[in-house]
Amino acid sequence: MVRKNNLPPCEKMHQLLKEYPEAYKYITSPLDSIFGLHTVYVALVRTKNNEELIKLGYTKNTVKKRFSESRYKGKMFLIEVIHEETFPSLGSTMFEKKLLSNLKQYNIKDTDIKAPGKGELFKAKHKDIILQKYNELKGKYKNIRGVKPPN
């Protein structure tokens, strides 16, 4: 058992994983969230009130898998993935934040949707503006690497 607290964190982690390889299944997902690749997407969704909206977001999973999560069930339904691209995790969060701030005048603020990401919703009529801004800004974030806090 690794008991030496004076080991550098990297060596300590390596030793612990050698001793407890079953721990991999518990740390893989958080590590992927911290510095793995993420998809930044633009999707057409339907609310439980049958309103079609554009949703921006990022996920370490596929967009389809994201919307199959229990927190979306019965609240928001994926109709179509309009656009998606892969970014390093830190770049994805920075890009999403910049994109949302550049599109805030089109954001739907008054909504009764009780689902995650409700602040990332836009009227479907703004699709072209959203895609234009996405393409205009994405290049600055495609190669930004670093550590982002886990979700």
Side-chain angles (χ1 to χ4, degrees), residues 15-71:
Q15 291 297 321
L16 286 167
L17 288 172
K18 277 173 58 175
E19 189 170 342
Y20 302 103
E22 66 274 12
Y24 277 103
K25 65 183 174 187
Y26 300 109
I27 65 169
T28 302
S29 184
L31 288 176
D32 195 28
S33 179
I34 293 167
F35 45 74
L37 294 176
H38 287 59
T39 299
V40 180
Y41 63 87
V42 179
L44 182 63
V45 298
R46 181 176 294 121
T47 68
K48 66 180 181 179
N49 301 332
N50 277 335
E51 185 177 11
E52 289 190 2
L53 300 169
I54 299 287
K55 169 135 177 21
L56 297 178
Y58 72 89
T59 179
K60 66 180 179 181
N61 298 310
T62 66
V63 180
K64 187 175 181 179
K65 188 172 181 181
R66 167 62 120 202
F67 282 91
S68 70
E69 294 173 3
S70 61
R71 58 194 181 142

Side-chain angles (χ1 to χ4, degrees), residues 9 11 13 15 21 44 53 57 59 68 77 83-84 91 104 107-108 117 119 125 130 140 143 145 150:
E11 284 182 42
M13 177 73 81
Q15 291 297 321
L44 182 63
L53 300 169
T59 179
S68 70
F77 310 90
H83 189 78
E84 61 183 327
K104 65 183 170 194
N107 187 262
I108 296 173
K125 68 182 182 181
I130 293 165
K140 297 174 186 169
N143 295 311
R145 300 191 187 298

